[in-house]
Amino acid sequence: MTFDLLSALALFVFITSITPGPNNLMLMASGANYGFARTVPHMLGVTIGFMIMLLLVGLGLIRVFNAFPVIYIILKVLSVIYLLYLAYKIATAGPAQQTAAAGRPMSFLQAAGFQWVNPKAWAFGLSIITIYVPAADFGPLLITACVVALTAFPSVTLWTVMGKEMARFLTNPRRLRVFNWTMAILLVASLLPVLWPAG
């Protein structure tokens, strides 16, 4: 892979990964409710889980989905159900201290598994593979996956830190309710452009 192609890939990944989406909104809510340290497994699950997904899809799993288009419909249904559940959990979360003591942030495996029902992750991954991977060999795919992980991790960290910093303003129950409901609504809304693209 050329330096120009890698640079273009890194720019694409940074711009796409810094924008609001299900992963970033959940990380922000987790940072606010559980703090940075307890959200680290969630952050790593997003980054490494997407990297593994990218490798598997690039190595041939995409052929299975192309052969059986019904899988896309099943993924959409699963993603909507799961995202509505997560939105409900965020909307009804208690005060940050209470949530941190009683609740549990998303684990590494849960966050990694979530990538498979996240429509934005699918759209993002397919775009990367079709545009930036010169050949479906393991070498170029591994380089691409590593560039994606290294470029996306700062944005994952930023969203978690923003949530953690907001926690100090969320000690008021009313502000906390507004924040949690806003995050829940944005989480559901973030799926709309991917599930039902314009045109």
Side-chain angles (χ1 to χ4, degrees), residues 15-97:
I15 291 171
T16 307
S17 63
I18 201 76
T19 57
N23 281 323
N24 289 337
L25 293 170
M26 288 191 301
L27 285 166
M28 187 177 191
S30 183
N33 286 293
Y34 300 107
F36 184 86
R38 292 188 69 193
T39 305
V40 168
H42 185 170
M43 294 163 54
L44 293 174
V46 168
T47 307
I48 297 172
F50 182 73
M51 184 179 172
I52 292 169
M53 176 186 171
L54 199 63
L55 285 170
L56 292 176
V57 171
L59 286 172
L61 193 57
I62 189 62
R63 294 189 188 97
V64 176
F65 290 109
N66 287 337
F68 302 99
V70 70
I71 295 176
Y72 286 115
I73 297 170
I74 294 171
L75 280 173
K76 284 186 178 184
V77 172
L78 289 175
S79 67
V80 168
I81 293 170
Y82 192 55
L83 261 293
L84 289 174
Y85 167 75
L86 291 174
Y88 167 77
K89 295 291 283 183
I90 291 171
T92 57
Q97 297 84 356

Side-chain angles (χ1 to χ4, degrees), residues 136-152:
D137 297 324
F138 185 73
L141 277 169
L142 182 60
I143 292 170
T144 300
C146 289
V147 169
V148 169
L150 291 172
T151 309

Side-chain angles (χ1 to χ4, degrees), residues 114-147:
F114 174 69
Q115 304 318 300
W116 293 91
V117 294
N118 179 356
K120 183 179 178 183
W122 276 102
F124 187 31
L126 292 175
S127 297
I128 290 169
I129 289 169
T130 55
I131 298 171
Y132 295 100
V133 180
D137 297 324
F138 185 73
L141 277 169
L142 182 60
I143 292 170
T144 300
C146 289
V147 169

